[in-house]
C-alpha cells in the first residue's frame, strides 16, 4: 500500500511502479488532458453532414442487402453455365488478348515518352517559369482527372472505332499518371549534382540530362511499370466503347448469354493482368 | 615535428609558393558584400578582400558565420544582397545568364559533399566537367563522349589516382575516392581558379588529409588560384599562403599563414 502522506517528490514504491497496487493515490502534479478533443462547432456540423450524406447515398445507390442475398442464385446460375469455359473461340480470344496488350504497351510507351518533357516543365525545380509550370500542371491534371473511358469515347469520335482509339486513350491516361509522378520524382532528388553542374557552367539541358534524369531514372522506371499494369487493366474495358481490345469480345459473349465463352475471356484477362503484374514486379525488384 | 611542419615536408618546402612571387593580378575580388536570408540579420556584412593569381587562401570560422554562403556568392550560386564580386576580371553581379555560365566554366568548385551523379561511373562524372567548354549531348555521358574527351577525362582520373576505377559507379566508391572524382571533374573543366567549400569535412582524418594534400598539390602544379574554406585549422595553416577568418559575418582576420598558429585561430571560434 502507498502511504497517502507521500508527496510528489517522494519515490514511488516498487509495487506501484509495476501496477500491483491499483488503488494508489495520485502523486500530485497537473491533471492529464482529456483523451479526446471536443470538436468545434464547424467540425461537428461537418461530421453530421458527412454522416447524413452517407445515409442519403445508401438510398441513392439502392443499397440493399436483401437484393444482394436474392441475387446469389443468379450468380450460381451464371457460374454453372460458365464452367467449364468454352474454347470454341479460343483463337479469336487469343488475338483479341494480344491486341489488348499491344494497346496497353504502345499506349504506355507513348505516354511515358510524352510525360517526360511535360514533367520537366511541371517540376518546380526545373520549370523555366511559373506560367509554364501552371500550364503543364493543368494539362497533366486534365489528362488525369478525365476517366480513360471518356478519353476512349472522344478518340472513337476522332479516329473511329478500333484499337487506335483505345491506344490514344491509354496514352493520355498514362500522361496523367506518369507526368505527375515524374515531376515529383525530379523535385525530390538530391539537388547536389545539379548545383555542381550549374557551378561548372553547364547549361540547363546539360544539368537535366546529366544529373536530373539519371538520378530520377529508378523512380521513372518504377512508375512506368505501374502505368503498364494500370494500362493493361484499362485496355480490357476500353473495348466496351468500341476502342479495341478484348472488351468487345466479352461484351458480345455476355449479351449473347454465352457465359462459357465469357468465362474463357475473363480467365484470359486474369492471366494476362497477373502475368504483367508478376513481370513488372520482378523488374522493379531488380531495378530498385 | 608539428602537423604543419609535416605537411610542409610533404609538399616539398614552405607551406605554399610564396605569395610575394605570385603575380599581383586579382583573380577574385569581393567588395562590400552583404547577404541575409529571409529578412533576418545579415549572415555576411560588408565583406571585402582580394585574392591574387597563384595565391592559396583559406577561409576559417565557426559554423553559421557564412563561410558556405560566401563561397557560393563567389559564383552567384547564391545571390548576394549587395556588394560586388569580381572573378577572373569579370564583375559577375550584373552578368547575363550566358555570360555567367562562361565565367563559372573557368572556376572549379569542390563541395563539402562530392555532389556526383550517383548512378553514373567515375568516368561519366568526370566527362561532365567538359560541359564547361563543350556543349551538347556528347558531354552528358562517357558513352556519348568523343575520343578526345574520354582521353582527357581518363587523364584527370589518373591525376587523382583513380584511372583503374573509371567504370566503377561512384555510389560504390568510398568518401575519399568520391571526393577525388569530384576533383577530377573540376580539373576536367580546365579551370583558372579553384574554390572549395570544406572539401574534406565529410571525410575521416586520414582520408581528409590524403585528399587535401592531393588537391592542393594538383592545384599548385597547375598554377591555379585557390580559395577554400576549412574547419581543420591545421589544413588552413598548412595548405595556404593566407588565411581569412570570419566571425559574426565580418572578416575578423586577414593574415599570412606562416604568421598564424592553431591557438590564435581558435580565437575565431570563441
Amino acid at each position: 500500500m502507498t502511504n497517502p502522506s507521500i508527496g510528489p517528490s517522494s519515490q514511488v514504491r516498487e509495487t506501484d511502479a509495476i501496477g500491483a497496487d491499483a488503488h494508489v493515490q495520485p502523486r500530485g502534479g497537473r491533471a492529464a488532458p482529456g483523451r479526446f478533443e471536443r470538436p468545434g462547432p464547424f467540425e461537428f456540423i461537418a461530421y453530421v453532414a458527412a454522416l447524413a450524406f452517407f445515409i442519403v447515398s445508401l438510398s441513392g445507390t439502392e443499397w440493399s442487402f436483401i437484393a444482394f442475398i436474392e441475387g446469389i442464385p443468379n450468380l450460381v446460375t451464371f457460374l454453372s453455365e460458365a464452367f467449364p469455359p468454352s474454347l470454341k473461340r479460343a483463337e479469336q480470344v487469343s488475338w483479341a488478348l494480344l491486341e489488348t496488350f499491344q494497346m496497353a504497351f504502345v499506349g504506355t510507351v507513348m505516354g511515358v515518352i510524352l510525360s517526360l518533357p511535360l514533367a520537366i516543365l511541371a517540376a518546380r525545380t526545373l520549370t523555366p517559369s511559373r506560367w509554364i509550370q501552371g500550364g503543364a500542371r493543368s494539362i497533366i491534371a486534365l489528362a488525369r482527372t478525365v476517366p480513360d473511358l471518356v478519353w476512349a469515347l472522344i478518340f472513337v469520335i476522332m479516329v473511329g472505332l478500333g484499337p487506335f482509339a483505345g491506344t490514344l486513350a491509354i496514352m493520355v491516361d498514362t500522361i496523367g499518371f506518369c507526368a505527375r509522378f515524374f515531376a515529383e520524382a525530379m523535385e525530390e532528388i538530391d539537388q547536389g549534382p545539379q548545383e555542381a553542374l550549374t557551378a561548372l557552367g553547364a547549361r540547363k539541358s546539360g544539368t537535366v540530362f546529366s544529373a536530373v534524369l539519371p538520378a530520377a531514372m529508378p523512380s521513372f522506371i518504377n512508375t512506368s511499370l505501374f502505368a503498364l499494369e494500370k494500362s493493361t487493366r484499362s485496355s480490357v474495358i476500353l473495348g466496351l466503347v468500341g476502342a479495341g481490345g478484348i472488351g468487345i469480345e466479352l461484351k458480345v459473349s455476355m449479351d449473347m448469354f454465352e457465359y462459357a465463352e465469357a468465362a474463357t475471356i475473363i480467365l484470359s484477362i486474369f492471366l494476362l493482368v497477373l502475368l504483367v503484374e508478376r513481370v513488372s514486379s520482378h523488374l522493379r525488384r531488380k531495378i530498385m | 615535428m608539428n602537423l604543419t611542419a609535416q605537411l610542409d615536408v610533404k609538399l616539398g618546402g614552405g607551406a605554399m609558393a610564396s605569395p610575394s612571387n605570385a603575380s599581383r593580378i586579382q583573380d577574385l575580388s569581393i567588395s562590400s558584400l552583404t547577404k541575409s536570408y529571409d529578412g533576418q540579420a545579415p549572415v555576411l556584412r560588408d565583406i571585402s578582400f582580394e585574392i591574387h593569381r597563384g595565391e592559396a587562401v583559406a577561409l576559417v570560422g565557426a559554423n553559421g558565420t557564412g563561410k558556405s554562403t560566401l563561397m557560393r556568392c563567389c559564383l552567384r550560386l547564391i545571390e548576394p544582397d549587395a556588394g560586388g564580386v569580381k572573378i577572373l576580371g569579370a564583375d559577375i553581379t550584373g552578368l547575363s545568364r550566358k555570360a555567367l555560365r562562361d565565367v563559372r566554366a573557368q572556376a572549379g568548385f569542390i563541395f563539402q559533399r562530392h555532389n556526383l551523379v550517383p548512378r553514373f561511373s567515375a568516368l561519366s562524372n568526370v566527362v561532365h566537367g567538359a560541359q564547361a567548354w563543350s556543349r551538347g549531348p556528347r558531354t552528358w555521358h562517357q558513352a556519348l563522349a568523343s575520343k578526345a574527351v574520354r582521353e582527357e577525362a581518363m587523364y584527370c582520373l589518373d591525376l587523382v589516382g583513380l584511372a583503374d576505377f573509371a567504370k566503377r559507379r561512384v555510389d560504390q566508391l568510398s568518401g575519399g575516392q568520391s571526393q577525388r572524382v569530384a576533383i577530377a571533374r573540376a580539373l576536367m573543366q580546365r579551370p583558372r581558379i579553384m574554390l572549395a567549400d570544406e572539401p574534406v569535412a565529410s571525410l575521416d582524418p586520414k582520408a581528409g588529409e590524403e585528399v587535401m594534400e592531393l588537391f592542393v598539390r594538383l592545384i599548385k602544379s597547375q598554377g591555379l588560384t585557390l580559395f577554400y574554406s576549412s574547419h581543420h585549422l591545421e589544413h588552413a595553416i598548412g595548405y595556404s599562403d593566407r588565411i581569412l577568418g570570419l566571425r559574426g559575418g565580418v572578416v575578423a582576420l586577414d593574415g599570412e599563414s606562416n604568421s598564424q598558429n592553431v591557438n590564435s585561430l581558435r580565437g575565431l571560434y570563441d
Side-chain angles (χ1 to χ4, degrees):
Chain A
M1 288 292 293
T2 309
N3 185 346
S5 65
I6 292 176
S9 60
S10 302
Q11 293 278 319
V12 180
R13 287 191 339 189
E14 194 178 345
T15 48
D16 296 343
I18 61 171
D21 286 344
H23 55 285
V24 292
Q25 296 291 318
R27 290 194 297 140
R30 295 170 61 179
R35 292 178 191 277
F36 303 103
E37 295 280 331
R38 187 187 289 269
F42 291 110
E43 209 177 339
F44 182 73
I45 291 168
Y47 287 141
V48 172
L51 185 64
F53 184 67
F54 176 71
I55 292 165
V56 170
S57 299
L58 285 177
S59 166
T61 55
E62 298 176 9
W63 184 269
S64 164
F65 286 106
I66 295 165
F68 183 80
I69 301 295
E70 285 177 351
I72 287 175
N74 296 336
L75 180 66
V76 172
T77 307
F78 166 74
L79 291 174
S80 63
E81 289 181 23
F83 285 90
S86 163
L87 296 175
K88 211 165 55 184
R89 296 181 62 237
E91 194 182 339
Q92 287 105 311
V93 169
S94 302
W95 284 114
L97 199 66
L98 178 64
E99 184 183 89
T100 304
F101 183 66
Q102 285 173 331
M103 282 165 56
F105 189 61
V106 174
T108 305
V109 171
M110 299 303 278
V112 165
I113 291 169
L114 291 174
S115 291
L116 268 177
L118 209 51
I120 290 169
L121 297 176
R124 179 177 31 82
T125 47
L126 299 173
T127 189
S129 83
R130 282 187 175 277
W131 289 102
I132 293 174
Q133 185 195 18
R137 286 199 176 258
S138 301
I139 293 169
I140 295 166
L142 180 71
R144 191 177 65 251
T145 50
V146 176
D148 49 5
L149 214 55
V150 177
W151 285 120
L153 285 168
I154 293 168
F155 286 122
V156 163
I157 294 167
M158 186 180 158
V159 299
L161 295 168
F164 184 42
T167 308
L168 289 173
I170 288 169
M171 182 186 80
V172 174
D173 197 48
T174 301
I175 290 172
F177 179 74
C178 286
R180 178 189 172 194
F181 285 112
F182 286 2
E184 285 174 6
M186 288 188 284
E187 285 172 0
E188 285 165 11
I189 57 164
D190 178 14
Q191 299 293 310
Q194 292 178 66
E195 189 184 24
L197 290 174
T198 303
L200 64 78
R203 291 180 170 202
K204 192 86 172 178
S205 55
T207 308
V208 169
F209 283 98
S210 305
V212 179
L213 297 186
M217 195 54 76
S219 176
F220 288 175
I221 294 171
N222 199 21
T223 304
S224 302
L225 289 170
F226 272 124
L228 181 62
E229 289 178 29
K230 188 172 167 292
S231 300
T232 308
R233 285 191 296 269
S234 294
S235 61
V236 169
I237 55 160
L238 295 183
L240 298 178
V241 295
I246 202 166
I248 189 68
E249 297 284 343
L250 181 62
K251 186 172 186 304
V252 168
S253 298
M254 295 296 263
D255 288 349
M256 305 291 286
F257 304 106
E258 295 282 355
Y259 294 146
E261 276 181 21
T264 308
I265 294 168
I266 291 168
L267 283 174
S268 307
I269 292 167
F270 168 73
L271 289 175
L272 173 67
V273 173
L274 191 70
L275 183 69
V276 170
E277 284 184 359
R278 284 289 165 90
V279 171
S280 147
S281 166
H282 173 72
L283 290 174
R284 268 201 304 277
R285 269 201 307 276
K286 278 196 82 173
I287 291 158
M288 303 305 279
Chain B
M1 190 187 287
N2 64 22
L3 179 59
T4 307
Q6 290 175 35
L7 295 171
D8 288 349
V9 171
K10 265 193 266 178
L11 290 168
M16 303 288 5
S18 168
S20 59
N21 295 334
S23 161
R24 302 310 288 171
I25 298 169
Q26 289 178 0
D27 270 354
L28 179 65
S29 169
I30 305 286
S31 55
S32 306
L33 188 136
T34 300
K35 175 66 188 176
S36 61
Y37 291 105
D38 302 326
Q40 293 182 343
V43 178
L44 298 173
R45 285 183 289 149
D46 201 24
I47 301 283
S48 298
F49 62 89
E50 292 88 34
I51 295 177
H52 299 99
R53 182 153 302 170
E55 226 181 349
V57 177
L59 179 69
V60 296
N63 286 334
T65 48
K67 296 191 301 296
S68 293
T69 300
L70 177 57
M71 300 301 301
R72 281 169 165 76
C73 282
C74 291
L75 288 182
R76 260 178 70 191
L77 295 173
I78 291 176
E79 290 287 348
D81 295 339
V85 178
K86 211 169 172 185
I87 186 163
L88 301 169
D91 182 354
I92 64 166
T93 45
L95 288 184
S96 67
R97 197 177 293 181
K98 187 192 174 304
L100 180 61
R101 275 204 308 268
D102 291 341
V103 174
R104 284 173 175 167
Q106 299 176 67
F109 197 112
I110 304 295
F111 294 84
Q112 190 172 332
R113 276 185 59 243
H114 46 74
N115 284 353
L116 300 171
V117 180
R119 297 175 64 80
F120 276 11
S121 66
L123 183 59
S124 278
N125 272 283
V126 178
V127 164
H128 289 165
Q131 292 186 30
W133 42 267
S134 176
R135 308 296 182 205
R138 302 203 74 182
T139 54
W140 294 349
H141 192 274
Q142 61 87 16
L144 306 172
S146 67
K147 188 167 177 277
V149 167
R150 284 168 59 89
E151 281 177 0
E152 189 167 340
M154 282 304 295
Y155 170 73
C156 291
L157 274 174
D158 204 20
L159 285 178
V160 298
L162 288 177
D164 292 339
F165 293 79
K167 294 300 282 283
R168 183 82 63 89
R169 270 173 59 156
V170 291
D171 47 10
Q172 294 169 354
L173 298 177
S174 69
Q177 288 170 329
S178 297
Q179 199 61 305
R180 283 196 273 164
V181 174
I183 293 168
R185 178 177 62 186
L187 293 173
M188 187 71 187
Q189 279 179 249
R190 305 171 184 168
R192 290 168 56 196
I193 183 170
M194 190 73 86
L195 309 173
D197 181 19
E198 298 186 39
V200 297
S202 60
L203 306 180
D204 65 58
K206 185 168 178 290
E209 196 174 315
E210 284 170 3
V211 169
M212 197 68 199
E213 194 271 334
L214 171 78
F215 177 55
V216 177
R217 182 164 48 77
L218 287 171
I219 299 301
K220 283 290 162 186
S221 69
Q222 311 228 349
L224 302 179
T225 306
L226 172 63
F227 181 39
Y228 67 99
S229 64
S230 181
H231 270 311
H232 294 256
L233 299 180
E234 295 88 351
H235 286 177
I237 295 168
Y239 292 113
S240 70
D241 305 313
R242 207 172 114 214
I243 296 179
L244 290 172
L246 284 182
R247 187 163 58 188
V250 298
V251 177
L253 168 75
D254 185 350
E256 290 196 0
S257 304
N258 49 22
S259 63
Q260 308 297 326
N261 60 58
V262 170
N263 286 334
S264 67
L265 292 180
R266 286 215 174 100
L268 291 165
Y269 293 79
D270 292 337

